[in-house]
């Protein structure tokens, strides 16, 4: 196995490291609800929401020239704003296409379609649409920030193709062709009895088995056990250990996310309790005003009742202020803890990308095993043919078929080797980039959270310090 030239194996990596890279600034706004007649059921209507996606390229310093830089008319100002309307299903389609065409990259995951259930959980339709709009803008922003995906033709067409994406000719040009799973099932009997070739095409070898309709290949790779993969190179073993470490990191993130959610809930509850207690203290002060003070006129306890009323009122007012401060502190904590959610999203993308490389390795080893067996069968049949004195057309046909299978497997193996090296290269580049992103996220979270906690503590201490000093003066 030889390491392929990175620029040949995955040309997008060259874009990732080239200078003169442009920054895409985009927004998702102006959601509108479209109601139309149902395409299959007359008299019924269906609805969906479309979002206005606006994107602009801004220059970032001088480029080194090249085709894409030349499109800017030499002014370095980037292209003018482009605005298109996209529905949520278009975003889902984009994510599926990128997952297939950009295997091995750590691609930020799309918003979950299941969030629609939130509309039935107390959130109004307008709130849900706004929630989704923010998620979609964040998703596209993260895609544009990726060195390779941000310069991909798929994303460019998504952001610039006019009209409905499903009817765009440019979009259909960048979407990989797919055969149905039923086509693969219909081929399976012929592959099992040998009447149809079980050698995967060069085009399909470049894909994950689950993105093809080759059921035979899916079964072979699923049954290829760890011990049957032969001697695994040390570098591949090292990356599998990295994947195991990422899985443990994912478990830690889930636990941390659960604890942070509990912290936020408890902060919200504390704010509510303080508000309730503030109201109780103010009511107690009112009682002293209404009943204690008038009674105190005819007794030596008038000053005492007034002090009780004043102290209760002061505590109630400070508790109300503290409740408000706690709500603000809760909001600050949520913002400070946001990197945990960001890493939770990215860790699954990292695992998917690392498993894509492992899948490519299995494909490579599966083809090696098939090639070894097919060559052995060809050698045996060739020996029988060489010593035979009879002309056997069936044997001749079998020999031709085996030779074709060997040629197909050799070509497929070359592509599989290149694909594996490409995904390994992508894993290395994006894992290093992700580690740096994790460092920045965790540093920002530590600084923001500690700052929020310190500011809240100082503000509370200052407010209640005044109350304590006032109380000390009254005791004197």
């Amino acid at each position: 196995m030889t390491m392929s030239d990175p620029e040949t194996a995955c040309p997008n990596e060259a874009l990732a490291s080239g200078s003169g890279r442009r920054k895409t600034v985009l927004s998702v706004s102006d959601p509108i609800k479209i109601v139309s007649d149902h395409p299959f059921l007359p008299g019924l209507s269906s609805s969906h929401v479309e979002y206005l996606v606006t994107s602009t390229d801004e220059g970032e310093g001088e480029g080194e020239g090249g085709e894409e830089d030349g499109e800017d008319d030499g002014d370095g100002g980037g292209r003018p704003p482009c605005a298109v309307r996209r529905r949520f299903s278009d975003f889902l389609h984009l994510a599926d296409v990128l997952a297939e065409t950009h295997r091995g990259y750590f691609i930020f995951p799309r918003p979950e379609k299941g969030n629609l259930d939130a509309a039935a959980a107390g959130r109004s339709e307008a709130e849900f649409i706004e929630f989704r709009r923010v998620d979609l803008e964040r998703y596209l922003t993260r895609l544009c920030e990726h060195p390779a995906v941000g310069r991909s033709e798929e994303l460019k067409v998504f952001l610039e193709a006019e009209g409905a994406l499903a009817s765009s000719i440019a979009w259909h040009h960048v979407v990989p062709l797919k055969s149905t799973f039923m086509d693969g099932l219909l081929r399976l009997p012929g592959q099992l009895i040998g009447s149809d070739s079980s050698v995967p095409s060069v085009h399909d070898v470049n894909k994950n088995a689950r993105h093809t309709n080759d059921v035979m290949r899916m079964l072979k790779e699923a049954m290829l056990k760890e011990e049957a993969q032969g001697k695994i190179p040390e570098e591949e073993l090292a990356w599998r250990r990295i994947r195991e470490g990422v899985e443990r990191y994912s478990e830690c993130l889930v636990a941390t996310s659960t604890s942070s959610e509990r912290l936020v809930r408890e902060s919200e509850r504390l704010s509510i309790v303080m508000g309730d207690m503030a109201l109780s203290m103010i009511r107690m002060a009112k009682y002293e005003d209404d009943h204690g003070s008038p009674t105190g006129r005819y007794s030596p306890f008038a000053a005492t009742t007034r002090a009780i009323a004043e102290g209760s009122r002061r505590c109630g007012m400070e508790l109300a202020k503290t409740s408000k401060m706690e709500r603000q502190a809760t909001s600050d904590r949520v913002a400070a803890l946001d990197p945990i959610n960001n890493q939770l999203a990215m860790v699954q993308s990292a695992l998917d990308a690392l498993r894509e490389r492992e899948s490519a390795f299995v494909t490579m080893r599966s083809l090696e095993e098939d090639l070894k067996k097919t060559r052995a069968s060809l050698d045996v049949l060739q020996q029988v043919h060489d010593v035979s004195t009879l002309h056997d057309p069936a044997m001749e046909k079998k020999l031709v078929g085996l030779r074709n299978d060997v040629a197909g497997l050799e070509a497929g193996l070359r592509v599989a080797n290149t694909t594996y090296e490409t995904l390994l290269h992508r894993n290395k580049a994006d894992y290093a980039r992700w580690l740096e992103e994790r460092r920045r996220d965790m540093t920002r979270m530590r600084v923001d959270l500690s700052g929020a906690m310190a500011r809240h503590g100082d503000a509370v201490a200052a407010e209640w310090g005044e109350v304590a000093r006032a109380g000390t003066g009254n005791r004197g």
Side-chain angles (χ1 to χ4, degrees), residues 137-161:
E137 184 171 288
R138 180 190 188 197
Y139 170 63
L140 286 183
T141 299
R142 293 303 302 270
L143 291 185
C144 290
E145 290 172 351
H146 192 282
V149 178
R151 301 299 295 270
S152 67
E153 188 66 18
E154 294 85 355
L155 184 58
K156 181 177 183 293
V157 172
F158 180 88
L159 295 176
E160 298 180 7

Short mmCIF file of all heavy atoms in Angstrom, two decimals, residues 137-161:
data_model
loop_
_atom_site.label_atom_id
_atom_site.label_comp_id
_atom_site.label_asym_id
_atom_site.label_seq_id
_atom_site.Cartn_x
_atom_site.Cartn_y
_atom_site.Cartn_z
N GLU A 137 -29.09 28.49 10.36
CA GLU A 137 -28.04 29.48 10.12
C GLU A 137 -26.72 29.01 10.73
O GLU A 137 -25.65 29.14 10.11
CB GLU A 137 -28.45 30.83 10.71
CG GLU A 137 -27.45 31.94 10.44
CD GLU A 137 -27.98 33.30 10.84
OE1 GLU A 137 -28.86 33.82 10.15
OE2 GLU A 137 -27.52 33.83 11.88
N ARG A 138 -26.80 28.46 11.92
CA ARG A 138 -25.59 27.94 12.56
C ARG A 138 -25.00 26.79 11.73
O ARG A 138 -23.77 26.70 11.55
CB ARG A 138 -25.94 27.45 13.96
CG ARG A 138 -24.78 26.89 14.75
CD ARG A 138 -25.30 26.23 16.01
NE ARG A 138 -24.22 25.83 16.90
CZ ARG A 138 -24.37 24.96 17.90
NH1 ARG A 138 -25.55 24.42 18.12
NH2 ARG A 138 -23.36 24.63 18.66
N TYR A 139 -25.86 25.92 11.21
CA TYR A 139 -25.40 24.78 10.42
C TYR A 139 -24.67 25.24 9.16
O TYR A 139 -23.55 24.79 8.88
CB TYR A 139 -26.62 23.92 10.05
CG TYR A 139 -26.33 22.83 9.04
CD1 TYR A 139 -25.45 21.79 9.33
CD2 TYR A 139 -26.95 22.83 7.79
CE1 TYR A 139 -25.19 20.79 8.41
CE2 TYR A 139 -26.70 21.83 6.87
CZ TYR A 139 -25.83 20.82 7.17
OH TYR A 139 -25.57 19.83 6.26
N LEU A 140 -25.28 26.16 8.41
CA LEU A 140 -24.64 26.65 7.19
C LEU A 140 -23.34 27.40 7.49
O LEU A 140 -22.36 27.28 6.75
CB LEU A 140 -25.59 27.54 6.42
CG LEU A 140 -26.73 26.86 5.67
CD1 LEU A 140 -27.55 27.88 4.90
CD2 LEU A 140 -26.21 25.78 4.72
N THR A 141 -23.35 28.15 8.59
CA THR A 141 -22.13 28.88 8.97
C THR A 141 -20.99 27.91 9.24
O THR A 141 -19.85 28.12 8.80
CB THR A 141 -22.40 29.75 10.21
OG1 THR A 141 -23.42 30.71 9.90
CG2 THR A 141 -21.14 30.50 10.63
N ARG A 142 -21.29 26.83 9.96
CA ARG A 142 -20.24 25.85 10.26
C ARG A 142 -19.76 25.14 9.00
O ARG A 142 -18.58 24.83 8.86
CB ARG A 142 -20.75 24.83 11.28
CG ARG A 142 -21.01 25.39 12.67
CD ARG A 142 -19.76 26.05 13.25
NE ARG A 142 -18.65 25.14 13.34
CZ ARG A 142 -18.37 24.37 14.39
NH1 ARG A 142 -19.12 24.46 15.47
NH2 ARG A 142 -17.34 23.56 14.40
N LEU A 143 -20.67 24.88 8.06
CA LEU A 143 -20.24 24.27 6.80
C LEU A 143 -19.31 25.20 6.04
O LEU A 143 -18.29 24.77 5.50
CB LEU A 143 -21.46 23.95 5.94
CG LEU A 143 -22.40 22.84 6.39
CD1 LEU A 143 -23.48 22.59 5.34
CD2 LEU A 143 -21.65 21.54 6.69
N CYS A 144 -19.64 26.49 6.01
CA CYS A 144 -18.81 27.45 5.29
C CYS A 144 -17.43 27.61 5.93
O CYS A 144 -16.46 27.94 5.26
CB CYS A 144 -19.52 28.81 5.21
SG CYS A 144 -20.96 28.83 4.12
N GLU A 145 -17.36 27.38 7.24
CA GLU A 145 -16.08 27.51 7.94
C GLU A 145 -15.17 26.33 7.70
O GLU A 145 -13.96 26.41 7.93
CB GLU A 145 -16.33 27.66 9.45
CG GLU A 145 -16.96 28.99 9.85
CD GLU A 145 -17.36 29.02 11.32
OE1 GLU A 145 -17.30 27.94 11.96
OE2 GLU A 145 -17.73 30.09 11.81
N HIS A 146 -15.72 25.20 7.21
CA HIS A 146 -14.88 24.03 6.98
C HIS A 146 -14.00 24.26 5.76
O HIS A 146 -14.46 24.70 4.71
CB HIS A 146 -15.76 22.80 6.75
CG HIS A 146 -15.00 21.52 6.79
ND1 HIS A 146 -14.24 21.08 5.72
CD2 HIS A 146 -14.86 20.57 7.76
CE1 HIS A 146 -13.68 19.92 6.02
NE2 HIS A 146 -14.03 19.60 7.25
N PRO A 147 -12.69 23.97 5.87
CA PRO A 147 -11.77 24.30 4.77
C PRO A 147 -12.13 23.65 3.44
O PRO A 147 -11.94 24.27 2.39
CB PRO A 147 -10.42 23.76 5.29
CG PRO A 147 -10.56 23.74 6.77
CD PRO A 147 -12.00 23.43 7.05
N ALA A 148 -12.63 22.41 3.46
CA ALA A 148 -12.96 21.73 2.21
C ALA A 148 -14.42 21.86 1.86
O ALA A 148 -14.77 22.20 0.72
CB ALA A 148 -12.58 20.25 2.31
N VAL A 149 -15.30 21.60 2.81
CA VAL A 149 -16.74 21.68 2.54
C VAL A 149 -17.15 23.09 2.16
O VAL A 149 -18.00 23.30 1.29
CB VAL A 149 -17.54 21.19 3.77
CG1 VAL A 149 -19.04 21.31 3.52
CG2 VAL A 149 -17.19 19.74 4.09
N GLY A 150 -16.54 24.09 2.80
CA GLY A 150 -16.88 25.47 2.52
C GLY A 150 -16.57 25.89 1.10
O GLY A 150 -17.14 26.87 0.60
N ARG A 151 -15.67 25.16 0.40
CA ARG A 151 -15.33 25.49 -0.98
C ARG A 151 -15.89 24.45 -1.95
O ARG A 151 -15.52 24.43 -3.13
CB ARG A 151 -13.80 25.55 -1.14
CG ARG A 151 -13.12 26.57 -0.24
CD ARG A 151 -13.58 27.98 -0.49
NE ARG A 151 -13.22 28.45 -1.82
CZ ARG A 151 -12.08 29.08 -2.10
NH1 ARG A 151 -11.19 29.31 -1.16
NH2 ARG A 151 -11.83 29.47 -3.33
N SER A 152 -16.76 23.59 -1.47
CA SER A 152 -17.27 22.51 -2.31
C SER A 152 -18.29 23.02 -3.30
O SER A 152 -18.99 24.01 -3.08
CB SER A 152 -17.91 21.41 -1.43
OG SER A 152 -19.07 21.91 -0.80
N GLU A 153 -18.40 22.31 -4.41
CA GLU A 153 -19.37 22.67 -5.44
C GLU A 153 -20.79 22.44 -4.94
O GLU A 153 -21.72 23.18 -5.29
CB GLU A 153 -19.11 21.83 -6.70
CG GLU A 153 -19.94 22.23 -7.91
CD GLU A 153 -19.60 23.62 -8.42
OE1 GLU A 153 -18.52 24.13 -8.09
OE2 GLU A 153 -20.44 24.19 -9.16
N GLU A 154 -20.97 21.41 -4.10
CA GLU A 154 -22.31 21.12 -3.58
C GLU A 154 -22.85 22.29 -2.76
O GLU A 154 -24.00 22.71 -2.95
CB GLU A 154 -22.27 19.85 -2.71
CG GLU A 154 -21.94 18.57 -3.46
CD GLU A 154 -20.44 18.34 -3.60
OE1 GLU A 154 -19.65 19.22 -3.21
OE2 GLU A 154 -20.07 17.27 -4.10
N LEU A 155 -22.03 22.83 -1.87
CA LEU A 155 -22.48 23.95 -1.05
C LEU A 155 -22.65 25.21 -1.90
O LEU A 155 -23.59 25.99 -1.68
CB LEU A 155 -21.47 24.21 0.08
CG LEU A 155 -21.85 25.29 1.08
CD1 LEU A 155 -23.18 24.98 1.76
CD2 LEU A 155 -20.75 25.47 2.14
N LYS A 156 -21.78 25.39 -2.87
CA LYS A 156 -21.89 26.56 -3.75
C LYS A 156 -23.21 26.55 -4.50
O LYS A 156 -23.91 27.57 -4.57
CB LYS A 156 -20.72 26.56 -4.73
CG LYS A 156 -20.69 27.75 -5.70
CD LYS A 156 -19.44 27.68 -6.56
CE LYS A 156 -19.34 28.90 -7.48
NZ LYS A 156 -20.41 28.92 -8.49
N VAL A 157 -23.58 25.40 -5.05
CA VAL A 157 -24.85 25.31 -5.78
C VAL A 157 -26.02 25.51 -4.83
O VAL A 157 -27.00 26.19 -5.16
CB VAL A 157 -24.95 23.95 -6.50
CG1 VAL A 157 -26.33 23.76 -7.11
CG2 VAL A 157 -23.88 23.84 -7.58
N PHE A 158 -25.93 24.95 -3.63
CA PHE A 158 -27.02 25.10 -2.66
C PHE A 158 -27.26 26.57 -2.33
O PHE A 158 -28.40 27.01 -2.20
CB PHE A 158 -26.67 24.33 -1.38
CG PHE A 158 -27.72 24.42 -0.31
CD1 PHE A 158 -28.76 23.51 -0.26
CD2 PHE A 158 -27.67 25.41 0.66
CE1 PHE A 158 -29.74 23.59 0.72
CE2 PHE A 158 -28.63 25.50 1.65
CZ PHE A 158 -29.67 24.58 1.68
N LEU A 159 -26.18 27.34 -2.22
CA LEU A 159 -26.29 28.75 -1.83
C LEU A 159 -26.64 29.66 -3.00
O LEU A 159 -27.11 30.78 -2.79
CB LEU A 159 -24.98 29.23 -1.19
CG LEU A 159 -24.58 28.59 0.13
CD1 LEU A 159 -23.22 29.09 0.57
CD2 LEU A 159 -25.61 28.86 1.22
N GLU A 160 -26.42 29.20 -4.25
CA GLU A 160 -26.55 30.10 -5.39
C GLU A 160 -27.60 29.70 -6.41
O GLU A 160 -28.04 30.55 -7.18
CB GLU A 160 -25.19 30.25 -6.08
CG GLU A 160 -24.11 30.84 -5.20
CD GLU A 160 -22.77 30.95 -5.92
OE1 GLU A 160 -22.74 30.70 -7.15
OE2 GLU A 160 -21.77 31.30 -5.26
N ALA A 161 -28.00 28.43 -6.46
CA ALA A 161 -28.95 27.98 -7.48
C ALA A 161 -30.30 28.66 -7.27
O ALA A 161 -30.88 28.58 -6.19
CB ALA A 161 -29.09 26.47 -7.44
#
